[in-house]
Amino acid sequence: MRSTSARVVTAMAVAAVPLAFPAAAWAAPADTAGQWATYQASLDPVTANHVTGSGKAMIQLSGNTAKITVTASGLVGGKSPHAMHIHVDGGGVCPKPSEAVDHNGHPSINVADAMKDYGMIGTSLTTSGDSTDKSALAVDRFPAGATVSYSRTLDVSDKVAANLKSGRAVLVVHGIDYNANGMYDKVLGASELDKTLPAEATDPALCGAFTASQMSSMPAGAADTGDGATQTGHTDAGMVAGGGAAVLAGLGAGGYALRRRGTAGR
């Protein structure tokens, strides 16, 4: 493992560990009020971004209530935060390696490059607090580290629920280590979302489209409200070049609007 600067603690863990959910957890799609429909996604690496990780995601949906589970490994390690979102209103697919374009002299794929594939942010998979697109880059409230284990129950919008049912919802985990130095830096230049952040911190790492599960059962146990969402590691907003907690305040059809705020008051 490589040593890092004071802002970034450890190196990238590159081993892709096979992950699976218990078969009993899956539920068949249901349209009946009060019943649960289950959707799952296999999270594959965006290889154009030199990612070798993997993961799985599951959503159990009843109306606008979504019980969400994500497991992933092989991400940038240490205290590196990994923003995670359900993207909607795109093509319902993940970007292909052939879609890489030049960024700071290196072929890679950033968020804007892939928007036609997976669309805009519908839900931010934060560990606490707001989970709308306004928290799309709330780096102090996302899982951190090479391995992620996330579970939270959220209210999703009608748009997100409709995209899940139509097969156009995609889960994306962000944050890459393109030059394998164990930290987010500006090897690919600045992020198109916020010029004070390195592109590595926001570029897509893992991606998977949700499909309806064919196995049926009801979710086991009471729904988790999510404020105690599990994760591996602790988010350190300071490790992102530029410092501070950068928060994506909203995504309009024409692009991104950003604002910065600290953790105080959340």
Side-chain angles (χ1 to χ4, degrees), residues 128-168:
S128 64
D130 177 74
S131 59
T132 68
D133 58 353
K134 293 180 180 180
S135 292
L137 208 61
V139 297
D140 57 339
R141 292 187 291 118
F142 282 110
T147 301
V148 168
S149 179
Y150 175 93
S151 179
R152 191 180 181 192
T153 298
L154 299 169
D155 287 331
V156 298
S157 67
D158 290 341
K159 180 179 290 187
V160 170
N163 272 256
L164 282 165
K165 294 172 184 177
S166 67
R168 291 202 298 161

Side-chain angles (χ1 to χ4, degrees), residues 105-242:
H106 303 283
S108 60
I109 296 173
N110 66 18
V111 174
D113 297 331
M115 280 182 60
K116 64 183 180 300
D117 296 314
Y118 52 59
M120 306 294 287
I121 293 171
T123 300
S124 300
L125 302 190
T126 52
T127 56
S128 64
D130 177 74
S131 59
T132 68
D133 58 353
K134 293 180 180 180
S135 292
L137 208 61
V139 297
D140 57 339
R141 292 187 291 118
F142 282 110
T147 301
V148 168
S149 179
Y150 175 93
S151 179
R152 191 180 181 192
T153 298
L154 299 169
D155 287 331
V156 298
S157 67
D158 290 341
K159 180 179 290 187
V160 170
N163 272 256
L164 282 165
K165 294 172 184 177
S166 67
R168 291 202 298 161
V170 177
L171 193 141
V172 180
V173 179
H174 301 266
I176 70 171
D177 186 11
Y178 190 89
N179 55 349
N181 67 349
M183 62 183 288
Y184 295 151
D185 60 28
K186 291 193 174 182
V187 62
L188 300 176
S191 170
E192 78 277 23
L193 309 184
D194 183 339
K195 297 302 182 185
T196 69
L197 301 176
E200 283 190 327
T202 60
D203 285 352
L206 303 178
C207 180
F210 284 102
T211 58
S213 173
Q214 299 304 311
M215 299 179 68
S216 82
S217 73
M218 292 298 292
D224 180 2
T225 60
D227 284 341
T230 57
Q231 66 178 76
T232 299
H234 302 283
T235 305
D236 181 0
M239 60 70 54
V240 180

Side-chain angles (χ1 to χ4, degrees), residues 14-114:
V14 298
V17 179
L19 299 161
F21 296 106
W26 300 115
D31 295 326
T32 306
Q35 298 298 305
W36 294 85
T38 298
Y39 305 88
Q40 56 183 315
S42 177
L43 305 179
D44 297 319
V46 180
T47 56
N49 287 344
H50 296 181
V51 179
T52 58
S54 64
K56 286 188 179 296
M58 179 177 72
I59 294 179
Q60 292 172 300
L61 182 71
S62 179
N64 292 87
T65 300
K67 188 178 177 101
I68 305 168
T69 304
V70 180
T71 57
S73 65
L75 299 170
V76 187
K79 296 183 180 180
S80 305
H82 293 283
M84 305 191 301
H85 312 108
I86 301 172
H87 288 255
V88 297
D89 290 348
V93 297
C94 294
K96 301 177 179 63
S98 59
E99 296 175 39
V101 297
D102 183 275
H103 293 288
N104 203 35
H106 303 283
S108 60
I109 296 173
N110 66 18
V111 174
D113 297 331

